[in-house]
Amino acid sequence: MTFDVVPVPAEIRPVPHESFQARSCPVGLDEITMSLADGAGPGLVDEGYRLKVSREGIALTAKTEAGLFYGVQTLQQLVSPDGVVPGCEIVDYPRYAHRGAMLDVARHFFSPAEVKRYIDQLAQYKINVLHLHLTDDQGWRLDIRSWPKLATIGGATQVGGGPGGFYTQDEYRDIVAHAASKHITVVPEIDIPGHVNAALVAYPELTCDGVAPPPFTATGTATGFSSLCTDKEITYQFVDDILGEVAALTPGEYLHIGTDETHATSEEGALKFVSRVLPMIAKHGKKAMGWHEILKATPDAVAQFWSKNEPDDLVRTAAASGTRILLSPANKVYLDMKYTPQTPIGFTWAGYLEVRDVYDWDPGTYLPEDAIHGVEAPLWSEHLRGRDDLDFMAFPRIPAIAELAWSPYSARDWEDFARRLAAHGPRWTAQGIRFYRSPQIPWAV
Ligand code: TNX
């Protein structure tokens, strides 16, 4: 067992004893004792932590660095604005190992600084996966050295007609490293064989007739109209090159290959495509993840369920035979849905999603617990014109989703959550987060 005494986080100030408050105890120390300990008692699983706050000080124990990190995030939520932490002893650990958020940087580009800012926001709520939707019809956002026009030509468009943009491999590495410093793993998504108009504009030889499609126009948000040519050998060289470069940039286990809405790919072509691409992912040392349509082709990938209806037979059968399902149902956790009919931006195709609609969902009602890989909240960016729009759609829904992915359903309590969430409003304001002031939350004034 090793003991490390670390400086207290800036948010936690020692308080004089006279500020003792009901049901709280003053922290008379300017240090927290943190220890990494194996077998430190019951309940301490990999990402779990034990937090003890008493008059003697604050002690945090965990099996892993991640556990200590989560303990600190909790502590920062417990501390009151005047620096008092309630006395407590808790053992806390997550329900799901994958607690994700997805950001679509393809429809609208987000700069590395904006992505890192989102990472910082997510980390405060113990989210541990950032899925980056890096490519779509409207733009290709990652430099691929073996196919350079993907970024330079494919990256130059976006919804609304702005300049678009892309990440150099160094910038991307920096995003991944920043995420890792907050115990967040980046899952890169290259969406194939559909959603590829930007790639086809850059490399027309990837179309079946060799003719470049019209480039994306500023107003287009249609889906399902483009496809790689599954009959051409060059397609597989292209995919293998890309997956090789992306795998080399990825410390995490998974590569996400999309496979959603392949309406412009023949059924036979889509099957052939997936059966050729899966071995490439394995060859590059990674495991496959795809949107749930991938189950039509293979059970050997983590399938991300995104329907607005409950899981259908295909998903249930796969889950029953051992396929892991990542739950992102659109009518429960899609952050691009409007909150109410008055919400100025967003889609409505999966309904309206107020904070409470999100909070009240129990993933366990969808599938058996052992088939659930985790929960992930996608934020598609057709309607997002910058960081304020991102903030507005993510907050306050992302903390609700983070809680449902972390805490058992039995521990959830809407009234208590609404009260706790209300206290975060001033913090978000201090952090420059332009959140939606949901009337469901008794925001502190
Ligand atoms: C469906 S969800 C899509 C995306 C859109 C989104 C808008 C999924 C796998 N595909 O291409 O951006 O709806 O809500």
Side-chain angles (χ1 to χ4, degrees):
M1 195 187 290
T2 56
F3 281 95
D4 273 328
V5 177
V6 299
V8 77
E11 286 82 351
I12 299 169
R13 290 178 284 113
V15 293
H17 279 253
E18 51 273 26
S19 73
F20 184 85
Q21 294 175 3
R23 300 179 62 236
S24 297
C25 64
V27 181
L29 293 180
D30 58 0
E31 290 173 338
I32 309 176
T33 308
M34 291 210 211
S35 48
L36 270 181
D38 222 11
L44 269 191
V45 293
D46 277 355
E47 293 186 286
Y49 61 89
R50 178 192 306 275
L51 175 63
K52 192 172 173 193
V53 180
S54 67
R55 287 174 189 279
E56 283 69 55
I58 300 175
L60 196 51
T61 317
K63 260 173 81 174
T64 64
E65 298 280 344
L68 288 182
F69 182 80
Y70 298 137
V72 171
Q73 306 316 305
T74 295
L75 200 48
Q76 291 184 338
Q77 291 176 23
L78 288 175
V79 68
S80 72
D82 50 356
V84 177
V85 186
C88 61
E89 178 161 11
I90 54 176
V91 173
D92 191 23
Y93 54 90
R95 178 173 181 182
Y96 299 118
H98 181 125
R99 305 175 301 280
M102 187 215 81
L103 182 62
D104 170 10
V105 295
R107 272 54 177 272
H108 277 98
F109 180 63
F110 288 86
S111 69
E114 288 169 327
V115 175
K116 288 201 264 182
R117 180 173 176 269
Y118 195 41
I119 287 169
D120 294 347
Q121 295 173 359
L122 297 171
Q124 296 183 52
Y125 296 97
K126 310 187 191 86
I127 291 219
N128 67 349
V129 176
L130 175 66
H131 164 184
L132 284 176
H133 183 76
L134 290 166
T135 68
D136 215 304
D137 293 311
Q138 296 85 349
W140 186 284
R141 307 299 178 206
L142 177 64
D143 183 32
I144 300 295
R145 293 190 175 154
S146 50
W147 296 77
K149 288 191 281 185
L150 286 172
T152 55
I153 295 178
T157 46
Q158 70 173 355
V159 174
F166 64 87
Y167 310 124
T168 65
Q169 293 204 354
D170 280 347
E171 286 171 332
Y172 185 79
R173 256 189 225 102
D174 179 55
I175 291 171
V176 170
H178 182 75
S181 76
K182 311 253 162 170
H183 298 279
I184 290 178
T185 303
V186 174
V187 173
E189 179 186 352
I190 303 295
D191 197 354
I192 42 179
H195 291 267
V196 290
N197 203 67
L200 301 183
V201 171
Y203 290 102
E205 57 267 47
L206 297 169
T207 64
C208 284
D209 60 9
V211 178
F216 165 75
T217 61
T219 51
T221 56
T223 55
F225 62 87
S226 62
S227 179
L228 295 172
C229 187
T230 55
D231 290 336
K232 277 188 172 175
E233 208 41 42
I234 188 175
T235 293
Y236 300 100
Q237 188 57 50
F238 172 78
V239 172
D240 194 27
D241 290 344
I242 292 169
L243 294 179
E245 290 193 38
V246 175
L249 293 168
T250 303
E253 292 179 271
Y254 289 98
L255 301 187
H256 198 303
I257 53 164
T259 71
D260 56 315
E261 302 176 313
T262 53
H263 312 314
T265 318
S266 70
E267 246 171 70
E268 193 199 340
L271 293 183
K272 172 176 162 189
F273 182 83
V274 171
S275 71
R276 291 219 32 198
V277 170
L278 283 191
M280 294 176 192
I281 296 175
K283 179 183 82 181
H284 295 302
K286 301 296 173 188
K287 295 181 187 164
M289 212 177 256
W291 297 103
H292 69 251
E293 288 96 321
I294 202 168
L295 294 175
K296 292 184 216 156
T298 181
D300 298 327
V302 172
Q304 185 166 9
F305 175 73
W306 64 276
S307 169
K308 64 174 175 165
N309 304 310
E310 295 207 0
D312 60 11
D313 283 348
L314 183 63
V315 173
R316 281 182 197 287
T317 309
S321 337
T323 298
R324 308 268 299 162
I325 313 290
L326 175 59
L327 289 175
S328 298
N331 62 330
K332 301 294 181 190
V333 296
Y334 260 35
L335 297 174
D336 61 328
M337 293 302 134
K338 293 186 176 205
Y339 293 90
T340 70
Q342 284 72 45
T343 306
I345 53 170
F347 282 108
T348 58
W349 64 262
Y352 299 104
L353 271 186
E354 252 290 5
V355 196
R356 184 161 191 175
D357 300 314
V358 172
Y359 188 79
D360 282 346
W361 177 53
D362 179 8
T365 60
Y366 269 44
L367 291 170
E369 202 69 4
D370 61 357
I372 301 177
H373 186 72
V375 172
E376 189 171 290
L379 182 44
W380 300 100
S381 67
E382 285 95 329
H383 297 281
L384 307 185
R385 293 145 314 181
R387 79 173 219 191
D388 285 353
D389 287 350
L390 186 161
D391 286 357
F392 184 79
M393 299 309 266
F395 284 84
R397 289 183 289 202
I398 202 79
I401 296 165
E403 182 151 320
L404 74 85
W406 181 282
S407 299
Y409 190 68
S410 59
R412 279 198 263 143
D413 172 344
W414 165 256
E415 301 299 333
D416 180 57
F417 174 74
R419 209 178 46 248
R420 283 185 284 121
L421 194 68
H424 291 221
R427 289 169 201 211
W428 297 339
T429 301
Q431 292 173 21
I433 298 177
R434 301 275 207 97
F435 61 99
Y436 164 62
R437 289 192 160 266
S438 166
Q440 297 183 333
I441 307 298
W443 300 108
V445 273

